[in-house]
Amino acid sequence: MTEPAAHRDAGAFLRVHGLVKHFGGMRALDDLSFSVARGECLTLLGPSGCGKTTMLRCIAGFEFPDSGQIEIDGQCVCDPERGVNVLPERRQFGMVFQSYAVWPHMTVEQNVAYGLRNRGAAKADISARVSEVLRMVGLAGRESHNVTRLSGGQQQRVALARALVYRPKVLLFDEPLSNLDARLRERMRQELRRLHKETAITSIYVTHDQEEAMVVSDRIVVMNEGRIQQIGSPSEVYDRPVSRFVADFVGNSNILEGCVERADAKSALVALEGGENLFLRCAVGERPAPGAAVAVSFHPEEVHVAASRPANAENILAGIIVSRSDMGGFIDYRVRVGREVIRVDAPRRTQHSEGQEVFLQIGAESCQCLCR
Amino acid sequence: MKHTRALRAVRAEEWMMFGVALGVCALVLALVFVVAWQSFLSNGWDHPSFRGFGNYVTTFRKPWVQAAILHTVSVSIGTTAFATVIGVSLAWINARTNVPCRSLLEVVTIVPFFLSPFVGAIAWMYLAAPRVGLLNEFAHAAFGLPLDVLNIYGPGGIVWVQGIFFTPFVYLMTIGTLRRMDPALEEGSRACGCGVWTTTWRITLPLVMPAILSGVIIVFAASAAEFGVPLALGSPYGFETLSTEIFSVLQRTEPRYDMASTMGAVLLAATLILVLFYQRVLRSREFVTVSGKGFRARAVDLKGWRYAALAWNLVYALVAVVLPLLILMIVSLQKVWLGAIDTSDFTASNYRFALFANPGTRSGIEHSLVLAIIGAFLAVALSFIVTRIIYRSRVPGRYWIDTITSIPLGVPAIVLGLGALIVFIRTPLYGTLSVLLLAYIARFIPVGQRSIAGSLLALSPELEESSRACGAGWAKTLTKVTLPLLKPGLAASWMLLFIIFLRELPMSIMLWTSGTEVMSVALYQMLDLATAGEIAAYAIIQAGIILLVLLCFRWTIRGEAILEA
Ligand SMILES: Nc1ncnc2c1ncn2[C@@H]1O[C@H](COP(=O)(O)OP(=O)(O)OP(=O)(O)O)[C@@H](O)[C@H]1O
Ligand SMILES: [Mg+2]
């Protein structure tokens, strides 16, 4: 078997190649391959049940895949074909769970020091490391507190400190923030990002929240039904989705069906199916064949809405506002264009009312052409 | 191919625990199947011949066997009816009404669950035996009634004692459902204009019906299998049940293993079917009324009737706990028991006799304590391993381990004791305490398994996994994380098993030899040989140890797990 490119990727610190995992007859992971560079934070993003946790648990050694290989820092930790399955405690990773999983029968100090004690660190060293890490996560001076008395956010910090303290090779996060309230979640995101920058520990972060993925990670792996949909930086995945699924899941985009009217190397004119004489010009990577069935996607916030038709501009759609909701930070309009309803996130200062006729302008560079 | 991959995912420690679990399964299967197998063989160990259903034909033609079956069925029906009426009414009163002193009543109502029905039968002998029963004396003195107005001996007495001791089964089963029932179900009916009583009758009762039904099944199976009570109150007066007959055919000069195992196999089949049926009912009931939210349903205001409810509850506590313990205490202090309390005659000599003077009773206490302490530790350890294999491993065949280890729930102790006797009598183990230990463990492994399963399932696997992530191996994870976190659950099941082992009679009486007598066996032998005071003193010692252990642990009793006993 020839080794695929991903497998030979020299800069990779953690490599997953061709991972397959069944639960009964159900294929939870379907031929997954990706790699993470040293010091990088990679996010596995996908809807509930797409296999993110399963993937993470395979890396940790809590699940054993049916086939494929996992390599951490040059060492193969898991290869069913060769019968390699390194014990979890030998894989030198740290893990933060959704449920925190702090040990209620131990104090904060005991929780955090546990990993160091298991590695036979010296006493003085342990207390120094523990207070350093607790300071890093903002829990300085809480060593002797009972973990069950801490708030959810603080417990999650303890879990984080516990995973950081022994400087693992890889940090695994399984939806660590999803049990926290919205405000705290936002703050913790930033802190996780800061901590990652500070420690530069290679991390894999699992979430189903695309905003969270955008904030914390260097690169995103979008998954669906056990398969990888797209790998790229947050802006690549957001701005250049390769499939309807990614456009919808990551960008929450408007997706309109159509077919290519004519195309050149940089852009294509797409006739939309939703009505007569509706055309959108979109940016393309490679030139699509005229007549090909495609979809056009664009983000709600990239639509400009105006009461009167902008002069001599391209990509204008006329429609009627069917609803208007004040979302606080922006106004969410739903605009009927032909048979389609388009979501528009407009600035607060726009004052259009329901039933009003408006004109939507979408920059050609904001429109993505997705092949069907 | 796929299978070998699945096997590779299983870690070494899992294989180790799997081996232990297989050992437990083998023990259970051996003890059960040997009874069935023996029922097809002729009597005698030397040259048994295969007789097919011959034993069944000869055994069940005998009129005394037919009588025993009839007795077993009728006593079980009586006990079930009695225990169900009391158990359901007490459960409803304690769960859904504003009866006074509820918290105290809830505790007292389940105390009989822990005490030995055999001891209860002895206590009731002193209360209601013709002529010498205290209640008979009282009725005679106060109302001039004849001295044998109450007669505890015979079917009525057996139903009475079994009924009051099995009431907690029904009570615990029903009260759990009553408590977890969504109040909206009842409030909906009230909103439709139905009164409290109509709602209770038309909505509440049908909703708890599955719980009541499973209580009924389990009490019926338990009374069909009950041994101690008919042994004390029926056998000496010619009223035998299947379980006492199994015992008595082995007491003949030439023990009849063929007849014993034939009757045992039939009893076993009946109780096993009932328990299987019960598990069915239990499974189907979960999604009927339980909504899983932790609310306490609103209490029904009984107004003046609350004192009647209190009285009903107190009467139960009186006949099930207070009177038996009181009478045993009084009799145990009396030199001679003639059916009347004579405070001038109080003495501690009976306790001296039971504890020190008489070697048989003393070593009974020692053996029982050793068996209960060590046995409970072993049983908890094995139950823990089995439970982990069932719920937390990737070993193939987990389902079968679960099924096999729950078989003993449906096996009458007397039958399992018979199986152990047949298996071990020809081995050097026979005549040692380890035979009793193995039999106890085989019979009660499902009790331990079920009580541990609750706490294990409540323990998130992530707590252990994060320990592995922190570099701890499985053994360290076990000692530093799992066991400390499970401690309350493990201690509770240790306590339960300790109590069960300490009072165990049917298997012990089948397996003991001189030198391995235990408390209940010694108590049984005393019935013929010792004075009333000595017997009562010994019974009080057993009940005292049990109550002491209960008090030490002071755990609120978790119904479901304990019920399975
Ligand atoms: N131990 C298991 N046994 C059987 N099926 C499982 C097991 N673990 C996961 N699955 C199944 O595998 C699929 C992927 O599960 P996984 O937990 O990896 O999803 P996820 O992406 O983490 O979802 P979520 O965002 O809800 O956590 C699901 O369909 C799940 O039902
Ligand atoms: Mg998950």
Side-chain angles (χ1 to χ4, degrees), chain A residues 47-54 56-57 98 174-175 206-208, chain B residues 462:
Chain A
S48 189
C50 73
K52 307 178 298 285
T53 298
T54 308
L56 210 63
R57 291 170 59 82
Q98 181 177 353
D174 190 359
E175 310 204 16
V206 159
T207 179
H208 59 247
Chain B
E462 295 179 352

mmCIF file of all heavy atoms in Angstrom, chain A residues 47-54 56-57 98 174-175 206-208, chain B residues 462, ligand 2:
data_model
loop_
_atom_site.group_PDB
_atom_site.id
_atom_site.type_symbol
_atom_site.label_atom_id
_atom_site.label_comp_id
_atom_site.label_asym_id
_atom_site.label_seq_id
_atom_site.Cartn_x
_atom_site.Cartn_y
_atom_site.Cartn_z
ATOM 1 N N PRO A 47 -22.096 18.154 13.870
ATOM 2 C CA PRO A 47 -23.340 18.044 14.625
ATOM 3 C C PRO A 47 -23.301 16.875 15.606
ATOM 4 O O PRO A 47 -22.398 16.040 15.556
ATOM 5 C CB PRO A 47 -24.388 17.814 13.535
ATOM 6 C CG PRO A 47 -23.650 17.240 12.394
ATOM 7 C CD PRO A 47 -22.264 17.796 12.457
ATOM 8 N N SER A 48 -24.256 16.839 16.495
ATOM 9 C CA SER A 48 -24.330 15.791 17.503
ATOM 10 C C SER A 48 -24.382 14.408 16.849
ATOM 11 O O SER A 48 -25.095 14.203 15.880
ATOM 12 C CB SER A 48 -25.580 16.019 18.354
ATOM 13 O OG SER A 48 -25.563 15.152 19.441
ATOM 14 N N GLY A 49 -23.592 13.498 17.373
ATOM 15 C CA GLY A 49 -23.631 12.128 16.881
ATOM 16 C C GLY A 49 -22.777 11.874 15.658
ATOM 17 O O GLY A 49 -22.831 10.801 15.065
ATOM 18 N N CYS A 50 -21.928 12.841 15.262
ATOM 19 C CA CYS A 50 -21.154 12.647 14.041
ATOM 20 C C CYS A 50 -19.857 11.898 14.313
ATOM 21 O O CYS A 50 -19.114 11.602 13.382
ATOM 22 C CB CYS A 50 -20.856 13.981 13.376
ATOM 23 S SG CYS A 50 -19.622 14.949 14.246
ATOM 24 N N GLY A 51 -19.562 11.590 15.573
ATOM 25 C CA GLY A 51 -18.387 10.772 15.854
ATOM 26 C C GLY A 51 -17.206 11.528 16.426
ATOM 27 O O GLY A 51 -16.107 10.973 16.518
ATOM 28 N N LYS A 52 -17.409 12.767 16.850
ATOM 29 C CA LYS A 52 -16.287 13.553 17.385
ATOM 30 C C LYS A 52 -15.727 12.924 18.656
ATOM 31 O O LYS A 52 -14.514 12.742 18.789
ATOM 32 C CB LYS A 52 -16.766 14.979 17.715
ATOM 33 C CG LYS A 52 -17.467 15.669 16.582
ATOM 34 C CD LYS A 52 -17.949 17.042 16.981
ATOM 35 C CE LYS A 52 -18.971 17.079 18.096
ATOM 36 N NZ LYS A 52 -20.326 16.674 17.706
ATOM 37 N N THR A 53 -16.630 12.616 19.565
ATOM 38 C CA THR A 53 -16.169 12.029 20.821
ATOM 39 C C THR A 53 -15.477 10.699 20.568
ATOM 40 O O THR A 53 -14.437 10.401 21.151
ATOM 41 C CB THR A 53 -17.364 11.845 21.776
ATOM 42 O OG1 THR A 53 -17.912 13.120 22.050
ATOM 43 C CG2 THR A 53 -16.950 11.183 23.057
ATOM 44 N N THR A 54 -16.045 9.913 19.685
ATOM 45 C CA THR A 54 -15.455 8.621 19.367
ATOM 46 C C THR A 54 -14.028 8.800 18.851
ATOM 47 O O THR A 54 -13.112 8.071 19.240
ATOM 48 C CB THR A 54 -16.322 7.902 18.324
ATOM 49 O OG1 THR A 54 -17.660 7.882 18.790
ATOM 50 C CG2 THR A 54 -15.839 6.490 18.084
ATOM 51 N N LEU A 56 -11.996 11.289 19.449
ATOM 52 C CA LEU A 56 -11.139 11.729 20.544
ATOM 53 C C LEU A 56 -10.782 10.562 21.462
ATOM 54 O O LEU A 56 -9.652 10.429 21.918
ATOM 55 C CB LEU A 56 -11.879 12.810 21.331
ATOM 56 C CG LEU A 56 -11.019 13.855 22.007
ATOM 57 C CD1 LEU A 56 -10.254 14.636 20.969
ATOM 58 C CD2 LEU A 56 -11.889 14.801 22.826
ATOM 59 N N ARG A 57 -11.777 9.712 21.699
ATOM 60 C CA ARG A 57 -11.538 8.574 22.603
ATOM 61 C C ARG A 57 -10.621 7.539 21.974
ATOM 62 O O ARG A 57 -9.944 6.803 22.685
ATOM 63 C CB ARG A 57 -12.872 7.955 23.022
ATOM 64 C CG ARG A 57 -13.675 8.876 23.937
ATOM 65 C CD ARG A 57 -15.082 8.359 24.142
ATOM 66 N NE ARG A 57 -15.080 7.028 24.727
ATOM 67 C CZ ARG A 57 -14.942 6.805 26.023
ATOM 68 N NH1 ARG A 57 -14.832 7.799 26.853
ATOM 69 N NH2 ARG A 57 -14.931 5.574 26.476
ATOM 70 N N GLN A 98 -16.519 17.077 29.091
ATOM 71 C CA GLN A 98 -17.708 17.908 29.182
ATOM 72 C C GLN A 98 -18.247 17.950 30.618
ATOM 73 O O GLN A 98 -18.667 18.976 31.113
ATOM 74 C CB GLN A 98 -18.775 17.346 28.248
ATOM 75 C CG GLN A 98 -20.044 18.137 28.231
ATOM 76 C CD GLN A 98 -21.032 17.565 27.227
ATOM 77 O OE1 GLN A 98 -20.713 16.671 26.467
ATOM 78 N NE2 GLN A 98 -22.214 18.105 27.217
ATOM 79 N N ASP A 174 -13.141 17.596 25.181
ATOM 80 C CA ASP A 174 -14.417 17.131 24.641
ATOM 81 C C ASP A 174 -15.527 18.060 25.101
ATOM 82 O O ASP A 174 -16.032 17.942 26.208
ATOM 83 C CB ASP A 174 -14.707 15.697 25.088
ATOM 84 C CG ASP A 174 -15.896 15.118 24.339
ATOM 85 O OD1 ASP A 174 -16.482 15.840 23.511
ATOM 86 O OD2 ASP A 174 -16.232 13.948 24.579
ATOM 87 N N GLU A 175 -15.906 18.989 24.254
ATOM 88 C CA GLU A 175 -16.944 19.970 24.559
ATOM 89 C C GLU A 175 -16.803 20.507 25.977
ATOM 90 O O GLU A 175 -17.734 20.387 26.773
ATOM 91 C CB GLU A 175 -18.329 19.342 24.359
ATOM 92 C CG GLU A 175 -18.445 18.660 23.027
ATOM 93 C CD GLU A 175 -19.883 18.556 22.554
ATOM 94 O OE1 GLU A 175 -20.735 19.267 23.093
ATOM 95 O OE2 GLU A 175 -20.119 17.785 21.618
ATOM 96 N N VAL A 206 -12.948 19.353 20.687
ATOM 97 C CA VAL A 206 -14.195 18.881 20.082
ATOM 98 C C VAL A 206 -15.336 19.805 20.466
ATOM 99 O O VAL A 206 -15.485 20.155 21.634
ATOM 100 C CB VAL A 206 -14.506 17.444 20.551
ATOM 101 C CG1 VAL A 206 -15.973 17.135 20.368
ATOM 102 C CG2 VAL A 206 -13.661 16.446 19.802
ATOM 103 N N THR A 207 -16.100 20.224 19.489
ATOM 104 C CA THR A 207 -17.256 21.058 19.802
ATOM 105 C C THR A 207 -18.294 20.941 18.695
ATOM 106 O O THR A 207 -17.990 20.507 17.586
ATOM 107 C CB THR A 207 -16.858 22.530 19.983
ATOM 108 O OG1 THR A 207 -18.012 23.292 20.266
ATOM 109 C CG2 THR A 207 -16.200 23.080 18.740
ATOM 110 N N HIS A 208 -19.536 21.305 19.023
ATOM 111 C CA HIS A 208 -20.519 21.381 17.943
ATOM 112 C C HIS A 208 -20.932 22.830 17.728
ATOM 113 O O HIS A 208 -21.863 23.123 16.994
ATOM 114 C CB HIS A 208 -21.733 20.497 18.239
ATOM 115 C CG HIS A 208 -22.438 20.847 19.505
ATOM 116 N ND1 HIS A 208 -22.468 20.021 20.584
ATOM 117 C CD2 HIS A 208 -23.095 21.945 19.867
ATOM 118 C CE1 HIS A 208 -23.123 20.596 21.564
ATOM 119 N NE2 HIS A 208 -23.515 21.781 21.161
ATOM 120 N N GLU B 462 -16.101 8.803 32.965
ATOM 121 C CA GLU B 462 -15.089 9.827 32.729
ATOM 122 C C GLU B 462 -14.228 10.070 33.962
ATOM 123 O O GLU B 462 -13.074 10.478 33.853
ATOM 124 C CB GLU B 462 -15.761 11.120 32.285
ATOM 125 C CG GLU B 462 -16.446 10.954 30.949
ATOM 126 C CD GLU B 462 -17.159 12.206 30.463
ATOM 127 O OE1 GLU B 462 -17.260 13.168 31.231
ATOM 128 O OE2 GLU B 462 -17.596 12.188 29.304
HETATM 129 MG MG MG C 2 -19.577 13.895 22.144
#
